[in-house]
């Protein structure tokens, strides 16, 4: 191989290494930027991809019908502090029987057009019952009524007092106990575990009943002992068959533990019920034979009669658990068949298409409501002026803050510290309203509302609190509530405090009304296509970026239970402008997740001041070490350089103690002063200053220039690359400082960007898409600064003699 060929190959290898190294260095940065544009579900997807659905003009999303019927609740994780303190006023009533809830089991959708399809298992529009066989329904209700007090203990509460006046409500309640809830009795795992325990209990009781009843006692005669021994021996033989049958049935249950769905199929239930009844018959047959045997062996012996009766009672109750299960599963099978066969009509269409309202549209509609709301003009004017399209999502918080301020102003007439009585009254309102919901007593509810509308005395109000608590089973909690109220009432006087309680009740009622209207306006989709059976659709949870998202489909007089066995499908469509907003949504969300505007200002301010002051000090020190002669210069410079060998972590504690003594913790002084002197910057500038001829310095002195003027008018301008290099290194170091800032700051008003990034990490995990977005817009200024100053940076390093 020739020399020229060797050189070419060497150059190729060199370029490959350089390009490969650059690629390896840039890939993490590129991946960070790519992640910053991804949806939450795409961050941890495998295999990883560089694309994101946030850049698509449409995508399908995962949905699931919410089958379980639950009472209303508030997602406390999404509430502000003011909302949390008044959460009872925000609690809505339970979803009505004609509302179908479809969970969004995917990334939140913030804008665009939503298409939801309600399809049957065959792909046709979902079916429902336009009418039911009332006679057959009545027969099923009669069967339910006959067994509802004799069902397995674990499910007795959920099956008690189901509404029987309406087929839809009855089916919803029954399926809630059987299928929809996590402990539904026909769920495969629940059913198999429950029946195995029941079979095992029956086997154990069969053997123990005979042994216990025919146990030899000290008072037994030899004849009695002989009779008991014979009964035990022959009973053991008679029980071999039933025990083997029970064991076989118990083992066969394992085949039902898994399947295509989590709910046991009707054909499987049929076989399970057959096994239960067969096992019941085997037990009863053996029990009958053992009882006959006992009576025959005892032959009317007075000493044995008590033991025989005890044995009879014990054996006859053994099949009861199996009978309960067979009757319940048999009833479920017939109800399920009735449910399936009753669905005789299809929706007029399968697609529901609606557009998510913008904040501006919501603000316009909310303003219309406020203008027509029957409240004081002063409150209307405040809400209309305070709420705008940019803060309309926080309208409830704005309303609550206004009420709290006004309430505190009134409290200030009697209290020095108004926050405590405000919290006491809020706690009392939360307790009263939640207790009323638990009690579910319309008469008691009317009594409370009437008392709050009248001049009810404080003593009567306290008695009312206790009555509501007793009705709701909250007698323990009411003691603390009343004690707190009494303490505050003793300060202001009972009757003025009673006025505050009644006033707060009325205000929380207003909050509840406003919250409901605000949620409905925000959540309602503007429908363009829908079946005639659908009235409207609400996209719940859209107000907050966190929390569960559901589509509540309000049906026109159709019970939602008829559609809970269908399959929903969802698709989102976006315009070009909406796609653009989706693509950069993570950056907007990350910026709004914390006061990043303040973080940016702090970071820039601290970095610029630190850099500017450091360059001044470093230039003066470098000039002294490079151009001036004084005793011990080299020794002093060596000591300066030696400090570079001390790890920065060692200085954290003494520096913090010093700042604490000065009272500078959580201030700009703590972020700036300890870092305005850098030995490395002094060394960098000294090395560059030494490359400038001393003759130039001597000439400047001859011309009458002072040392100060020579430094700043001649030496520093000639050392611009080194100065810019030192400044750039300092600026970047200050910009990226994390540990020191985290230690010496407590409030967001002082913290910088690197510390602000921890807002996206917690003990439960990290929002990597938001973290990467925040990290990206945090480093962009530094990257731009380096690109602009890179030629000076390279020149400064080269001319200073550093390697």
């Amino acid at each position: 191989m020739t020399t020229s060929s060797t050189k070419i190959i060497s150059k190729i290898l060199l370029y490959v290494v350089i390009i490969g190294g650059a690629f390896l260095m840039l890939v993490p940065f590129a991946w960070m930027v790519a992640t910053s544009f991804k949806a939450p579900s795409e961050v941890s997807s495998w295999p990883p991809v560089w694309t994101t659905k946030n850049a698509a003009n449409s995508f399908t999303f995962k949905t699931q019908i919410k089958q379980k019927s639950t009472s209303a609740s508030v997602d406390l994780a999404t509430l502000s502090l003011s909302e949390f303190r008044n959460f009872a006023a925000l609690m809505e009533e339970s979803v009505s029987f004609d509302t179908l809830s479809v969970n969004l089991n995917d990334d939140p959708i913030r804008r665009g057009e939503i298409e939801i399809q309600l399809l049957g298992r065959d792909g046709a529009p979902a079916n429902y019952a336009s009418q039911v066989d009332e006679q057959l329904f009545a027969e099923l209700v009669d069967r339910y009524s006959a067994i509802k007090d004799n069902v397995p203990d674990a499910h007795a509460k959920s099956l008690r007092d189901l509404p029987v006046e309406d087929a839809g409500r009855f089916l919803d309640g029954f399926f809630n106990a059987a299928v929809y809830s996590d402990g539904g009795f026909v769920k495969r795992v629940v059913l198999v575990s429950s029946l195995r325990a029941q079979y095992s209990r029956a086997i154990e009781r069969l053997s123990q009943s005979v042994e216990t009843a025919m146990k030899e006692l000290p008072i037994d005669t030899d004849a009695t002992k002989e009779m008991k021994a014979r009964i035990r021996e022959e009973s053991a033989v008679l029980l071999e068959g039933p025990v083997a049958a029970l064991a076989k049935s118990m083992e066969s249950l394992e085949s039902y533990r898994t399947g295509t769905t989590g709910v046991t199929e009707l054909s499987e239930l049929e076989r399970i019920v057959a096994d239960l009844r067969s096992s019941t018959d085997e037990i009863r047959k053996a029990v009958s034979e053992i009882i006959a045997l006992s009576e025959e062996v005892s032959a009317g012996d007075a000493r044995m009669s008590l033991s025989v009766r005890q044995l009879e009672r014990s054996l006859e109750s053994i099949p009861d658990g199996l009978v309960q299960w067979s009757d319940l599963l048999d009833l479920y099978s017939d109800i399920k068949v009735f449910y399936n066969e009753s669905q005789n009509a299809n929706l007029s269409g399968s697609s529901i298409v609606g557009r998510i309202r913008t904040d501006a549209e919501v603000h316009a509609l909310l303003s219309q409501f406020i203008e027509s709301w029957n409240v004081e003009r002063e409150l209307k004017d405040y809400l209309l002026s305070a709420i705008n399209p940019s803060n309309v999502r926080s309208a409830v918080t704005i309303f609550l803050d206004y009420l709290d301020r006004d309430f505190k102003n009134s409290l200030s007439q009697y209290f020095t510290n108004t926050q405590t009585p405000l919290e006491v009254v809020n706690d009392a309102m939360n307790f009263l309203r939640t207790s009323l919901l638990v009690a579910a007593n319309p008469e008691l509810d009317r009594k409370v509302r009437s008392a709050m509308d009248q001049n009810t005395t404080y003593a009567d109000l306290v008695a009312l609190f206790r009555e509501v608590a007793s009705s709701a089973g909250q007698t323990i909690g009411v003691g603390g509530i009343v004690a707190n109220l009494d303490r505050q009432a003793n300060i202001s006087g009972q009757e003025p405090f009673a006025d505050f309680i009644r006033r707060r009740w009325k205000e929380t009622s207003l909050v509840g009304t406003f919250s409901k209207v605000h949620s409905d306006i925000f959540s309602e989709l503007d429908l363009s296509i829908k079946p005639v059976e659908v009235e409207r659709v609400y996209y719940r949870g859209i107000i907050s970026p966190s929390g569960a998202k559901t589509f509540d489909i309000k049906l026109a007089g159709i019970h939602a239970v008829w559609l809970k066995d269908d399959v929903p499908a969802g698709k989102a469509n976006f315009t070009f402008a909406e796609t653009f907003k989706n693509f950069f949504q993570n950056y907007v969300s990350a910026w709004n997740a914390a006061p990043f505007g303040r973080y940016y200002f702090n970071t820039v301010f601290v970095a610029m001041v630190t850099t500017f002051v450091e360059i001044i000090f470093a230039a003066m020190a470098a000039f002294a070490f490079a151009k001036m002669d004084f005793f011990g210069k080299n020794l002093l410079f060596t000591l300066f350089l030696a400090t570079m060998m001390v790890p920065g972590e060692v200085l954290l504690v003494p520096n913090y103690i010093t700042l604490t003594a000065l009272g500078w913790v959580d201030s700009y002084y703590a972020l700036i002063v300890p870092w305005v002197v850098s030995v490395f910057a002094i060394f960098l500038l000294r090395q560059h200053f030494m490359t400038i001829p001393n003759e130039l310095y001597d000439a400047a002195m001859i011309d009458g220039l002072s040392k100060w003027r020579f430094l700043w008018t001649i030496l520093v301008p000639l050392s611009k690359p080194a100065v810019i290099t030192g400044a750039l290194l300092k600026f970047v170091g200050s910009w990226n400082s994390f540990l020191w800032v985290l230690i010496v700051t407590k409030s967001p008003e002082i913290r910088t960007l690197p510390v602000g990034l921890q807002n996206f990490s917690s003990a439960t995990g990290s929002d990597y898409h938001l973290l990467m977005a925040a990290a990206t817009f945090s480093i962009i200024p530094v990257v731009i600064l380096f690109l602009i100053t890179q030629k000076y940076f390279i020149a400064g390093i080269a001319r200073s003699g550093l390697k």
Side-chain angles (χ1 to χ4, degrees):
M1 182 178 294
T2 63
T3 304
S4 59
S5 299
T6 304
K7 290 182 177 180
I8 293 173
I9 294 174
S10 299
K11 287 182 179 180
I12 292 174
L13 292 175
L14 180 61
Y15 281 121
V16 169
V17 171
I18 293 174
I19 294 173
F23 177 78
L24 292 176
M25 293 176 64
L26 289 176
V27 163
F29 177 75
W31 184 253
M32 179 188 74
V33 175
T35 303
S36 70
F37 292 106
K38 291 184 176 182
S41 64
E42 297 174 320
V43 174
S44 57
S45 63
W46 189 263
V49 295
W50 289 87
T51 57
T52 173
K53 64 182 179 182
N54 283 339
N57 58 7
S58 67
F59 60 80
T60 59
F61 54 85
K62 300 175 184 177
T63 58
Q64 182 182 20
I65 289 179
K66 183 179 180 180
Q67 295 180 321
K68 185 177 180 180
S69 301
T70 57
S71 57
S73 61
V74 178
D75 185 359
L76 298 180
T78 67
L79 299 184
S80 67
L81 180 60
S82 296
E83 291 173 328
F84 180 78
R85 288 173 175 169
N86 298 271
F87 75 92
L90 308 178
M91 297 181 71
E92 301 176 4
E93 297 179 358
S94 58
V95 177
S96 58
F97 76 95
D98 58 354
T99 299
L100 179 70
S101 293
V102 179
N103 290 333
L104 173 61
N105 294 341
D106 212 318
D107 300 308
I109 304 170
R110 300 174 181 272
R111 57 185 63 85
E113 183 181 76
I114 303 294
E115 180 180 359
I116 301 174
Q117 289 189 314
L118 296 177
L119 304 171
R121 302 290 174 179
D122 56 356
N127 49 21
Y128 64 95
S130 60
Q131 59 182 6
V132 298
D133 187 333
E134 295 295 343
Q135 181 178 353
L136 181 56
F137 172 63
E139 292 175 1
L140 293 173
V141 168
D142 290 340
R143 289 177 57 189
Y144 157 75
S145 301
I147 72 166
K148 69 176 184 178
D149 296 325
N150 191 31
V151 296
D153 293 339
H155 307 283
K157 183 178 180 180
S158 60
L159 288 167
R160 187 179 297 117
D161 300 328
L162 297 181
V164 297
E165 68 280 354
D166 175 74
R169 293 176 184 271
F170 173 76
L171 291 172
D172 194 49
F174 188 83
F175 288 147
N176 202 47
V179 181
Y180 302 156
S181 62
D182 295 335
F185 61 81
V186 293
K187 291 286 187 70
R188 291 184 181 275
V189 175
V190 175
L191 180 61
V192 170
S193 300
S194 299
L195 291 182
R196 281 185 63 88
Q198 194 64 54
Y199 278 124
S200 178
R201 192 178 302 114
I203 293 173
E204 183 179 1
R205 287 190 61 193
L206 280 174
S207 58
Q208 287 183 349
S209 295
V210 177
E211 292 293 331
T212 302
M214 295 299 157
K215 183 179 180 180
E216 293 184 0
L217 300 175
I219 62 173
D220 287 344
T221 62
D222 291 340
T224 302
K225 291 180 180 179
E226 184 179 345
M227 285 187 286
K228 287 184 176 182
R230 179 184 171 190
I231 292 173
R232 289 198 301 270
E233 292 173 1
E234 296 189 17
S235 294
V237 176
L238 293 174
L239 289 176
E240 289 179 357
V243 168
L246 289 170
K248 182 178 179 181
S249 296
M250 184 168 63
E251 291 302 320
S252 68
L253 288 172
E254 289 303 315
S255 62
Y256 304 113
R257 190 178 289 275
T258 58
T260 56
T261 63
V263 178
T264 314
E265 301 291 342
L266 291 179
S267 58
E268 295 172 317
L269 286 177
E270 185 178 354
R271 295 194 294 271
I272 291 174
V273 170
D275 284 345
L276 285 168
R277 288 180 171 161
S278 174
S279 299
T280 300
D281 291 341
E282 289 282 346
I283 293 174
R284 285 175 173 168
K285 179 181 177 182
V287 167
S288 177
E289 292 176 348
I290 292 173
I291 292 174
L293 169 67
S294 301
E295 292 176 348
E296 178 185 348
V297 171
S298 63
D301 188 309
R303 292 178 176 272
M304 286 289 293
S305 60
L306 183 61
S307 297
V308 171
R309 285 197 298 272
Q310 178 185 353
L311 177 61
E312 183 178 353
R313 287 194 299 269
S314 179
L315 289 175
E316 287 180 344
S317 64
I318 290 176
D320 290 349
L322 300 178
V323 172
Q324 288 178 353
W325 272 106
S326 61
D327 289 345
L328 180 60
L329 295 179
D330 194 35
L331 176 61
Y332 168 81
S333 298
D334 290 344
I335 289 177
K336 183 65 175 177
V337 171
F338 169 77
Y339 173 79
N340 292 336
E341 293 180 350
S342 296
Q343 300 188 58
N344 56 359
N346 291 85
L347 295 177
S348 57
S350 61
S351 294
I352 305 172
V353 180
R355 179 162 290 278
I356 299 174
R357 290 170 175 168
T358 64
D359 289 4
E361 292 171 337
V362 171
H363 175 256
L365 292 171
L366 187 61
S367 298
Q368 293 177 14
F369 163 75
I370 295 173
E371 191 62 53
S372 61
W373 198 13
N374 185 24
V375 293
E376 297 177 359
R377 186 71 235 180
E378 181 182 356
L379 176 57
K380 288 184 181 182
D381 293 339
Y382 174 79
L383 293 176
L384 290 172
S385 61
I387 300 173
N388 55 61
S390 62
N391 65 12
V392 69
R393 293 177 182 267
S394 304
V396 177
T397 302
I398 294 171
F399 186 25
L400 284 169
D401 290 342
Y402 170 81
L403 293 177
D404 284 352
R405 286 196 304 270
D406 191 50
F407 197 76
K408 283 183 177 180
N409 289 336
S410 299
L411 288 172
S412 62
Q413 301 177 27
Y414 302 94
F415 300 93
T416 303
N417 176 16
T418 58
Q419 184 62 34
T420 299
L422 172 65
E423 292 178 353
V424 167
V425 175
N426 281 346
D427 290 344
M429 290 300 101
N430 288 336
F431 179 84
L432 183 59
R433 289 187 177 274
T434 51
S435 296
L436 284 172
L437 288 174
V438 173
N441 186 335
E443 183 62 32
L444 187 58
D445 189 71
R446 283 192 294 270
K447 183 177 181 180
V448 172
R449 295 181 186 277
S450 175
M452 294 299 178
D453 289 336
Q454 300 173 9
N455 293 326
T456 309
T457 64
Y458 177 78
D460 289 339
L461 287 176
V462 169
L464 191 60
F465 272 91
R466 294 187 184 280
E467 181 181 354
V468 173
S470 176
S471 179
Q474 302 291 331
T475 53
I476 297 178
V478 73
I481 295 295
V482 171
N484 290 334
L485 290 174
D486 287 342
R487 279 193 289 269
Q488 303 305 317
N490 290 334
I491 298 175
S492 64
Q494 290 189 350
E495 297 319 310
F497 202 67
D499 292 337
F500 287 126
I501 294 174
R502 295 194 303 271
R503 171 182 168 180
R504 201 57 175 175
W505 171 272
K506 296 173 184 177
E507 288 179 348
T508 54
S509 298
L510 291 177
V511 171
T513 300
F514 185 79
S515 172
K516 180 66 167 61
V517 172
H518 177 257
S519 176
D520 286 350
I521 292 176
F522 231 116
S523 304
E524 186 173 0
L525 300 181
D526 290 326
L527 301 180
S528 57
I529 300 175
K530 69 178 184 67
V532 296
E533 295 85 358
V534 173
E535 290 186 356
R536 61 184 70 92
V537 177
Y538 296 100
Y539 178 19
R540 300 295 185 188
I542 188 176
I543 299 176
S544 171
S546 60
K549 315 293 182 189
T550 60
F551 297 100
D552 286 349
I553 303 173
K554 177 74 173 177
L555 303 170
I558 302 173
H559 202 298
V561 71
W562 299 114
L563 301 176
K564 288 187 176 182
D565 62 337
D566 293 311
V567 182
K571 183 179 181 181
N573 302 306
F574 309 100
T575 63
F576 176 78
E578 290 168 342
T579 302
F580 182 82
K581 291 179 181 179
N582 287 340
F583 190 64
F584 289 98
Q585 182 62 51
N586 288 342
Y587 287 85
V588 176
S589 299
W591 183 270
N592 294 329
F596 273 98
R598 185 70 185 183
Y599 293 157
Y600 245 107
F601 171 80
N602 292 340
T603 307
V604 172
F605 175 74
V606 171
M608 291 185 65
V609 172
T610 305
T611 302
F612 179 76
V613 176
E614 182 201 79
I615 291 301
I616 293 177
F617 288 161
M620 291 189 294
F623 173 72
F625 285 123
K627 299 301 181 183
M628 297 176 64
D629 292 321
F630 54 89
F631 177 76
K633 180 177 74 172
N634 292 333
L635 176 61
L636 184 60
F637 184 68
T638 302
L639 292 176
F640 264 60
L641 292 180
T643 61
M644 295 178 63
M645 295 185 292
V646 179
E649 289 76 6
V650 175
L651 303 177
L652 289 178
V653 173
N655 282 347
Y656 184 80
I657 294 174
T658 303
L659 292 178
T660 302
L662 295 173
W664 286 0
V665 173
D666 202 30
S667 69
Y668 288 120
Y669 295 113
L671 302 180
I672 296 173
V673 173
W675 313 109
V676 294
V677 175
S678 170
V679 175
F680 177 77
I682 295 172
F683 173 68
L684 179 68
L685 293 181
R686 172 188 178 271
Q687 295 302 104
H688 196 278
F689 288 173
M690 291 180 67
T691 63
I692 297 176
N694 290 331
E695 289 79 6
L696 185 62
Y697 176 60
D698 294 337
M701 294 299 100
I702 293 173
D703 289 339
L705 260 69
S706 64
K707 293 181 178 64
W708 181 263
R709 188 175 178 186
F710 173 77
L711 171 63
W712 297 112
T713 60
I714 297 177
L715 199 57
V716 169
L718 290 175
S719 306
K720 184 166 64 174
V723 172
I724 292 177
T725 299
L728 181 61
L729 291 174
K730 185 58 173 182
F731 187 88
V732 173
S734 179
W735 187 281
N736 294 331
S737 178
F738 172 77
L739 183 59
W740 177 251
V741 180
L742 181 65
I743 292 174
V744 300
T745 61
K746 300 176 182 177
S747 58
E749 289 75 14
I750 303 298
R751 288 186 163 175
T752 57
L753 282 170
V755 178
L757 295 180
Q758 70 176 344
N759 285 284
F760 305 106
S761 299
S762 65
T764 57
S766 299
D767 296 324
Y768 287 106
H769 59 300
L770 299 181
L771 178 61
M772 295 299 103
T776 300
F777 64 62
S778 296
I779 68 173
I780 284 177
V782 177
V783 173
I784 294 175
L785 182 63
F786 176 77
L787 293 176
I788 295 174
T789 61
Q790 61 174 325
K791 63 178 181 180
Y792 300 103
F793 181 80
I794 296 172
I797 295 295
R799 294 181 185 179
S800 65
L802 295 178
K803 295 183 181 180

